[in-house]
Amino acid sequence: MVTYEFSRESRILTPGQFQQVFSKSSRFGSSHFTILITKNTLDKPRLGFAVAKKRVKLAVQRNRIKRLTRESFRLAQHNLPNIDIVVMVKSGIDNLDNATINKQLVKTWRKIIQRHKP
């Protein structure tokens, strides 16, 4: 049975884990997201965020973007390869509505899945 949980093991937590993604990564992007990915040795994908105050001023908006991204990842994680993902945002994303953000994320997950087919 497939579970759609987003547990602690599904997250990139330590600075060393983030540094590993930043140092050797592939980039995927849309008009408001930059997504860095790198292979991991685990049996599931992991997600991390780098949402800068410079790009999104209000904490409420930063949290909304992270919440939407987490939910989108949670639903798509079973189709994604075993990779570490760091999501960075570009300026202007705080002006988008939830449906538009979700649409961009789904499109990016689809691109990642197509490029990393076994």
Side-chain angles (χ1 to χ4, degrees), residues 26 28 37-39 79-83 110-118:
S26 303
F28 289 86
I37 67 167
T38 186
K39 292 227 178 263
N79 299 324
L80 291 169
N82 298 335
I83 54 175
R110 219 178 294 130
K111 260 196 260 184
I112 291 171
I113 291 166
Q114 284 178 347
R115 291 218 188 123
H116 287 84
K117 282 184 182 173

Side-chain angles (χ1 to χ4, degrees), residues 9-10 12 17 30 34 36 60 66 86 99 104 114 116:
E9 292 81 35
S10 300
I12 299 174
Q17 293 170 343
S30 67
T34 299
L36 305 174
V60 171
K66 290 190 277 190
V86 173
Q104 285 189 7
Q114 284 178 347
H116 287 84

Side-chain angles (χ1 to χ4, degrees), residues 71-89:
E71 180 64 11
S72 178
F73 173 81
R74 187 183 71 82
L75 296 173
Q77 68 183 339
H78 300 292
N79 299 324
L80 291 169
N82 298 335
I83 54 175
D84 287 342
I85 302 167
V86 173
V87 176
M88 300 187 306
V89 297

Side-chain angles (χ1 to χ4, degrees), residues 29-52:
S30 67
S31 55
H32 290 91
F33 285 103
T34 299
I35 296 181
L36 305 174
I37 67 167
T38 186
K39 292 227 178 263
N40 69 26
T41 57
L42 307 172
D43 60 342
K44 63 187 337 184
R46 294 188 302 176
L47 179 68
F49 295 99
V51 181

Side-chain angles (χ1 to χ4, degrees), residues 14 17 24-25 27 31 46 60-61 66-67 72 88 90 92 95 97 104 107:
T14 65
Q17 293 170 343
K24 51 176 178 157
S25 63
R27 287 180 183 262
S31 55
R46 294 188 302 176
V60 171
Q61 294 297 332
K66 290 190 277 190
R67 191 172 53 248
S72 178
M88 300 187 306
K90 297 177 184 174
N95 298 326
D97 63 338
Q104 285 189 7
K107 189 187 257 185

